Amino acid sequence: MNVLLTGGTGYIGSHTAVALAESLGALIGEKTHHIVLLDNLCNSEIATVDRIKTIMGANSACALTFIQGDIRDTTLLTQVLSNQQIDAVIHFAGLKAVGESVAQPVEYYANNVQGTISLLQAMQACNVKKMVFSSSATVYGEPQQLPLTETHPTLATNPYGRSKLHIEEILHDVCLSNPEWSVVCLRYFNPVGAHKSGLIGERPSGTPNNLMPYITQVAVGQRSHLNVFGNDYPTPDGTGVRDYIHVVDLAEGHAAALNYATKHAGWQAINLGTGKGCSVLELVHTFETVNNVTVPVQIVNRRAGDIAVCYANTQKALNTLNWSATKNLTDMCQSAWQFEQSMT
Ligand code: NAD
Ligand code: UFG
């Protein structure tokens, strides 16, 4: 099988390349599978390609190729899909900072929505009709009931979230237009952690927007303390509750979704989470305990646009993909810390 991973050198794409190589099996003769990573490196680095190859090892049944390019370049995408005889696409490429999307909506819609249309045009031209797409729990907006099921109404509250929702709808229309198409939109909850090798993980440029990379940077001494955005939410300790999922579990969810997409046509939206909520302070305390480090915190005002509680109903992923998360908060905190240390 030949699979194109757009955004393949990014945080989730790199872990998925490793998980895919593992799920496709060990070498028994010639390399029988091909993973092609396409990325413009706007939020990742080329060194990740060699790190993925190191983890895959020489005995992997998969060949790995990296192509530097932009998903808005339809001509390039068409060449890649055709020359590499791609069977399916896992589409990670996108910009993902919520605050930045509010300040630069045009750039976000151009990159995420226009980029996806460009990819779909190339796929249509090359008769490739299978896609797994990186969506987000952000498409649910303020939860009306918990846990969040895939039938919960969707409502995005910022340009980033709306770009995900628009893309989901475009993909739905594509599936309605032609019953041969197969699209699985994976709605991620909060991916954290890193591969056990310590070779790949989350490396935000500049000040981290997300909680776990901020915690690791405080623990390593790069920042003095963590600002906790509000302790007056209606939650057990007053801080925000999220469904943190280990990135390796998430990556394995993509392998399961790709397998599903090769066997079933139509459009699906599926949550990838653990189904368990964890507060900011609970995550900080777990991190401190399992790694024997101190993370000073300071309570500050709520962050605009944040919701109090968000966690997944995971039944559909189990029923449809036969997938469920297996790693716990300890695994997430240990691997995130190991990766941070290996990078400094
Ligand atoms: P990431 O920034 O690490 O990876 C995205 C990759 O896409 C980067 O390597 C970047 O260089 C590349 N890219 C961006 N625009 C591109 C373009 N026009 N052409 C080619 N490459 C391009 O982010 P990630 O955390 O790995 O997220 C992957 C996907 O999952 C994104 O679409 C993101 O919106 C989505 N997602 C992420 C989270 C999260 O918390 N990490 C949560 C929900 C959804
Ligand atoms: N938080 C802090 N301090 C920080 C950063 C975060 O207290 O420095 C808190 C937030 O207020 C929230 C929790 O930690 O309660 C998690 O915040 P993140 O920014 O890590 O994650 P979000 O749930 O806000 O959003 C993330 C991604 C979105 C995605 C969403 C659902 O950033 O892109 O998960 O998948 F849409």
Side-chain angles (χ1 to χ4, degrees), residues 256-276:
L258 181 66
N259 183 40
Y260 177 88
T262 59
K263 294 176 181 150
H264 303 84
W267 183 93
Q268 294 282 352
I270 302 178
N271 289 340
L272 291 188
T274 64
K276 297 186 195 84

Side-chain angles (χ1 to χ4, degrees), residues 128-151:
V128 180
K129 299 199 188 80
K130 294 175 183 49
M131 185 194 281
V132 176
F133 170 61
S134 295
S135 189
S136 167
T138 196
V139 300
Y140 295 121
E142 180 89 39
Q144 293 172 15
Q145 78 268 334
L146 288 161
L148 286 157
T149 62
E150 290 82 355
T151 53

